């Protein structure tokens, strides 16, 4: 008996026509152009700003101890680099941010999974975490300093706290709003617990997880500066305070620019991860 | 394709279903009351009834997805107490996971205890049966509603259930594909009988597929309280495959439409239910 017979009444498989038509072939040239243009366009404003900055700084409108020239800032950077400290400041700050970010978001994801999946656990944890979240972040600094000392641990802990909340809040709420129909589907096909989590809930919240990670990363840099401002002997936050106290306006500008560039770089890295994950798990 | 390879695709023992005095209320709203139905091993039963009368609700109870307010359901010789691996349901909505390809969606239906290379083959075989081989790599957002329904059917078949529960599985299909899928279902059933409960709005479909058609609904007498029970059970004469245009069926068809409240302008017929 032939099983393909039922549909053989159809002279052509109407329903699969869409799929059968080949996808348009992408040549590499327009693809490269597609990202070259936004990059060029995006570079226009920063370059213009630097030019304007140079103009203002050299015009004498603003005193030079209040506004360094772009070249002066560059020179300050080269100077720090040649002394071998620039790398140290950047490295230690990046290390703190990444450590705190990873710890905070992993704990955030874990707790969000438990809280988002079980109404009972949520009732148990949610009010406490909500209250903790309401505490202004900097209020933790003295306590962490007292408990852990003004060392790496306390700084990483502070950054982890900063990274934890965006991940926890966003992901827990996303998990609670996963399509109940799909969850029921998973259950009715024999999935439960971690298997169900892997089948339905986690993939469903991938977009929320990614946007929360981006938020968490921004928070991590924020908390880094807060932590280093208040007690450090190395790092970009320390460089800010140190430059201010010594009237090194050029280094102050340098540090701010470095923070901007580093923040953007790490965000871009998460963006790449995002594109990869959404391709795999996006709908 | 030989019928032995078909046997591999849906091989399992059909199980009987016994519903006794089932009632279900949602808060104040009584939906089902005193529903009793005995379904034999390997039988195909079609559930018809007006929209909102509780067909999906009844099906969900058989699948263990809902708990009755009163009464009991037994599959084989063990009661249904919760989610039940002996049955597989194709929901009224396709419920596909949007981030998985069609193939990977059908794989969800595979029994979780054993997964082997042969299972992969079965999945592609099932996709072929529902005429979706060409589209197997697509994501659900890239396919039509009718295609999604067929994926959902293939997923339920992958389960190799003793009881197959189908909630309007062909509702979104064009007339031609619908007829083809009905024949496919019958062929699958002939090769390896599972007990099938199928909800449909289409009286012709019910008569073509089923051994018995069960009309669910509230009796006109107590129309104030629209609680449903089994209004009529019609045994469809003859053996499958049936002649879609047979005169016997035409009479039953008129009767069932009458039961659904559709005026058929036929001469009155004596009830055979
Ligand atoms: N979870 C629920 N909570 C409250 N009421 C419900 C629930 N599920 C179903 N109902 C009610 O039960 C009744 C029957 O619903 P059901 O989905 O079983 O109808 P149906 O016969 O399948 O209709 P249709 O043919 O339109 O699919 C409806 O009035 C509906 O509002
Ligand atoms: Mg329904």
């Amino acid at each position: 008996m032939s099983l393909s017979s039922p549909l053989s009444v159809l002279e052509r498989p109407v329903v699969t026509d869409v799929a059968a038509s080949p996808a348009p072939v992408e040549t590499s040239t327009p693809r490269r152009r597609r990202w070259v243009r936004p990059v060029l366009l995006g570079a226009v404003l920063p370059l213009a700003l630097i030019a304007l900055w140079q103009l203002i700084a050299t015009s004498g409108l603003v005193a030079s101890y209040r506004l360094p020239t772009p070249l002066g800032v560059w020179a300050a950077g080269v100077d720090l680099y040649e002394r071998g400290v620039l790398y140290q400041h950047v490295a230690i700050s990046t290390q703190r941010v990444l450590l705190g970010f990873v710890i905070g978001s992993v704990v955030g994801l874990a707790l969000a999974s438990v809280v988002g999946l079980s109404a009972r656990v949520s009732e148990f944890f949610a009010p406490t975490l909500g209250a903790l979240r309401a505490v202004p972040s900097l209020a933790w600094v003295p306590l962490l300093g007292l408990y852990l000392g003004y060392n790496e641990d306390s700084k990483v802990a502070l950054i982890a706290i900063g990274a934890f909340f965006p991940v926890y809040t966003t992901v827990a709420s996303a998990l609670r709003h996963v399509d109940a129909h799909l969850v029921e589907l998973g259950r009715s096909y024999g999935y439960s617990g971690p298997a169900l989590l892997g089948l339905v809930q986690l993939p469903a919240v991938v977009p929320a997880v990614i946007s929360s990670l981006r938020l968490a990363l921004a928070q991590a840099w924020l908390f880094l500066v807060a932590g280093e401002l208040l007690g450090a002997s190395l790092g970009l936050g320390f460089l800010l305070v140190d430059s201010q106290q010594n009237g090194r306006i050029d280094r102050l500008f340098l540090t701010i620019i470095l923070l901007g560039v580093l923040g953007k770089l790490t965000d871009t890295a998460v963006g790449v991860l995002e594109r990869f994950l959404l391709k795999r798990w996006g709908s | 394709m030989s019928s032995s390879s078909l046997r591999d695709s849906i091989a399992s023992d059909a199980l009987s279903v016994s519903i006794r005095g089932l009632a279900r209320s949602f808060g104040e709203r009584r939906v089902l009351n005193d529903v009793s139905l005995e379904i034999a091993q390997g039988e195909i039963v079609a559930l018809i009834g007006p929209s909102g009368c509780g067909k999906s609700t009844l099906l969900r109870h058989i699948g263990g997805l809902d708990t009755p307010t009163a009464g009991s359901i037994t599959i084989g010789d063990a009661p249904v107490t919760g989610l039940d691996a002996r049955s597989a349901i194709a929901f009224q909505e396709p419920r596909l996971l949007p981030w998985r390809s069609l193939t990977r969606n059908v794989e969800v239906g595979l029994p979780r205890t054993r997964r082997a290379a042969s299972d992969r083959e079965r999945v592609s075989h099932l996709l072929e049966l529902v005429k979706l081989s060409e589209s197997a790599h697509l994501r659900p957002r890239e396919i039509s509603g009718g295609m999604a329904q067929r994926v959902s059917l293939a997923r339920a078949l992958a389960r190799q259930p003793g009881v197959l529960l189908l909630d309007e599985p062909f509702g979104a299909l064009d007339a031609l594909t619908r007829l083809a899928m009905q024949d496919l279902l019958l062929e699958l059933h002939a090769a390896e009988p599972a007990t099938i409960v199928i909800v449909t709005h289409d009286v012709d479909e019910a008569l073509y597929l089923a051994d018995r058609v069960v009309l669910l609904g509230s009796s006109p007498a107590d129309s104030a309280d629209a609680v449903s029970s089994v209004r009529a059970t019609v045994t469809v004469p003859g053996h499958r495959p049936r002649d879609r245009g047979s005169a016997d069926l035409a009479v039953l068809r008129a009767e069932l439409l009458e039961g659904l409240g559709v005026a058929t302008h036929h001469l009155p017929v004596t009830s055979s239910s």
Side-chain angles (χ1 to χ4, degrees):
Chain A
M1 156 178 58
S2 159
L3 269 175
S4 49
S5 64
L7 268 177
S8 59
V9 288
L10 303 177
E11 286 189 12
R12 59 195 185 103
V14 185
V15 283
T16 52
D17 263 3
V18 181
S21 67
V25 181
E26 275 178 12
T27 57
S28 65
T29 328
R31 168 169 276 222
R32 197 180 314 132
R33 268 193 211 130
R34 216 178 302 149
W35 71 265
V36 164
R37 205 182 65 178
V39 165
L40 288 181
L41 210 58
V44 170
L45 189 58
L47 290 175
L49 282 178
I50 291 174
L52 185 70
W53 173 14
Q54 173 76 20
L55 259 174
I56 296 175
T58 50
S59 68
L61 280 173
V62 186
S64 66
Y65 68 89
R66 288 185 155 258
L67 184 67
T69 62
L71 280 178
V73 171
W74 176 256
V78 171
D79 172 51
L80 283 177
Y81 175 76
E82 277 168 356
R83 294 176 196 210
V85 287
L86 184 64
Y87 172 77
Q88 277 183 304
H89 288 307
V90 170
I92 192 73
S93 287
T94 311
Q95 180 189 318
R96 286 167 184 159
V97 161
L98 293 185
L99 264 178
F101 168 69
V102 168
I103 294 172
S105 27
V106 165
V107 177
L109 274 178
L111 219 54
S113 304
V114 199
V115 167
L117 290 179
S118 153
R120 201 167 302 162
V121 177
S122 168
E123 280 157 19
F124 182 75
F125 273 119
T128 314
L129 286 167
L132 284 177
R133 186 168 161 244
V135 176
S137 49
L138 291 187
W140 296 111
V141 175
L143 190 66
L144 288 173
L146 201 67
Y147 282 179
L148 303 172
Y150 286 98
N151 54 19
E152 286 311 300
D153 291 352
S154 67
K155 281 181 204 64
V156 170
L158 183 68
I159 294 166
I161 290 176
F164 168 82
F165 281 108
V167 174
Y168 164 75
T169 324
T170 314
V171 176
S173 127
L175 278 172
R176 264 195 295 274
H177 294 107
V178 169
D179 187 350
H181 271 178
L182 293 184
V183 175
E184 187 183 61
L185 164 84
R187 281 193 202 289
S188 75
Y189 279 87
Y191 288 77
S192 60
L196 185 66
L197 188 71
L199 181 78
V200 180
Q201 283 112 337
L202 279 188
V205 300
V206 161
V209 168
I210 294 166
S211 63
S212 79
L213 286 182
R214 287 190 113 147
L215 263 173
L217 194 60
Q219 285 278 95
W221 282 105
L222 182 77
F223 278 58
L224 167 88
V225 174
E228 288 181 344
L229 277 178
L230 293 166
S233 53
L234 211 54
L236 293 170
F238 163 77
L239 195 57
L240 282 175
V241 189
D242 190 56
S243 311
Q244 185 213 25
Q245 282 165 356
N246 295 315
R248 290 297 300 263
I249 191 78
D250 50 350
R251 286 188 185 169
L252 209 49
F253 268 73
L254 174 75
T255 317
I256 289 171
I257 292 171
L258 277 176
L259 282 169
V261 169
L262 286 172
K264 179 68 191 155
L265 277 181
T266 47
D267 186 62
T268 307
V270 177
V272 170
L273 179 76
E274 170 173 22
R275 229 169 312 152
F276 169 75
L277 285 177
L278 285 187
K279 207 160 162 193
R280 176 77 182 77
W281 297 109
S283 37
Chain B
M1 197 172 306
S2 71
S3 60
S4 79
S5 88
L6 185 63
R7 209 155 304 239
D8 294 338
S9 358
I10 57 156
S12 91
D13 297 321
L15 294 167
S16 63
V17 178
S18 159
I19 303 165
R20 294 198 193 95
L22 182 116
R24 180 66 165 109
S25 308
F26 294 103
E28 290 291 286
R29 165 111 171 79
R30 295 205 299 156
V31 175
L32 295 172
N33 190 39
D34 198 23
V35 174
S36 294
L37 191 61
E38 297 292 329
I39 304 172
Q41 274 177 296
E43 191 179 9
I44 302 183
V45 166
L47 286 179
I48 63 171
S51 181
C53 74
K55 303 181 296 296
S56 297
T57 305
L58 180 57
L59 209 63
R60 292 169 52 81
H61 277 86
I62 303 174
L65 289 162
D66 206 340
T67 323
T69 316
S72 69
I73 296 170
T74 310
I75 291 181
D77 40 31
V80 176
T81 51
L83 289 170
D84 207 302
R86 294 169 295 175
S87 59
I89 186 165
F91 292 95
Q92 192 164 355
E93 323 77 29
R95 302 200 188 183
L96 304 181
L97 300 172
W99 50 85
R100 285 181 165 231
S101 67
L102 303 193
T103 303
R104 305 250 302 128
N105 264 290
V106 175
E107 279 172 10
V108 172
L110 294 173
R112 292 202 58 225
T113 40
R114 36 165 282 267
R115 288 213 172 164
S118 66
D119 287 328
R120 292 196 173 281
E121 256 167 55
R122 211 163 42 130
V123 167
S124 64
H125 179 51
L126 285 167
L127 279 165
E128 191 185 319
L129 290 183
V130 297
K131 281 286 165 186
L132 286 173
S133 297
E134 307 271 294
S135 316
H137 62 284
L138 295 180
R139 296 278 176 94
R141 73 175 150 77
E142 300 170 302
I143 64 173
S144 72
M147 291 162 87
Q149 262 194 333
R150 283 179 283 150
V151 178
S152 162
L153 174 65
R155 180 177 58 195
L157 291 173
R159 200 84 204 277
Q160 299 183 288
V163 180
L164 185 58
L165 306 168
L166 306 175
D167 201 341
E168 298 185 34
F170 310 135
L173 302 182
D174 66 277
L176 215 51
T177 315
R178 172 187 277 247
L179 297 187
M181 286 295 127
Q182 290 171 359
D183 285 330
L184 166 67
L185 190 66
L186 291 184
E187 282 198 51
L188 288 170
H189 182 261
E192 188 61 51
T195 307
I196 300 179
V197 184
I198 179 171
V199 172
T200 176
H201 277 292
D202 182 343
V203 173
D204 291 318
E205 179 169 278
L207 291 171
Y208 183 66
L209 294 176
D211 297 301
R212 279 189 300 156
V213 180
V214 173
L215 178 65
L216 217 58
S218 54
S219 73
D222 53 27
S223 56
D225 184 20
V227 53
S228 299
S229 57
V230 176
R231 290 268 314 281
T233 306
V234 174
T235 304
V236 187
H239 290 284
R240 288 184 295 262
R242 296 198 175 94
D243 176 5
R244 291 184 194 267
S246 108
D248 284 355
L249 295 191
V251 174
L252 282 180
R253 176 172 183 275
E255 229 178 73
L256 287 168
L257 286 174
E258 213 82 57
L260 287 169
V262 180
T264 54
H265 312 296
H266 267 250
L267 297 172
V269 288
T270 47
S271 172
S272 69
S273 57

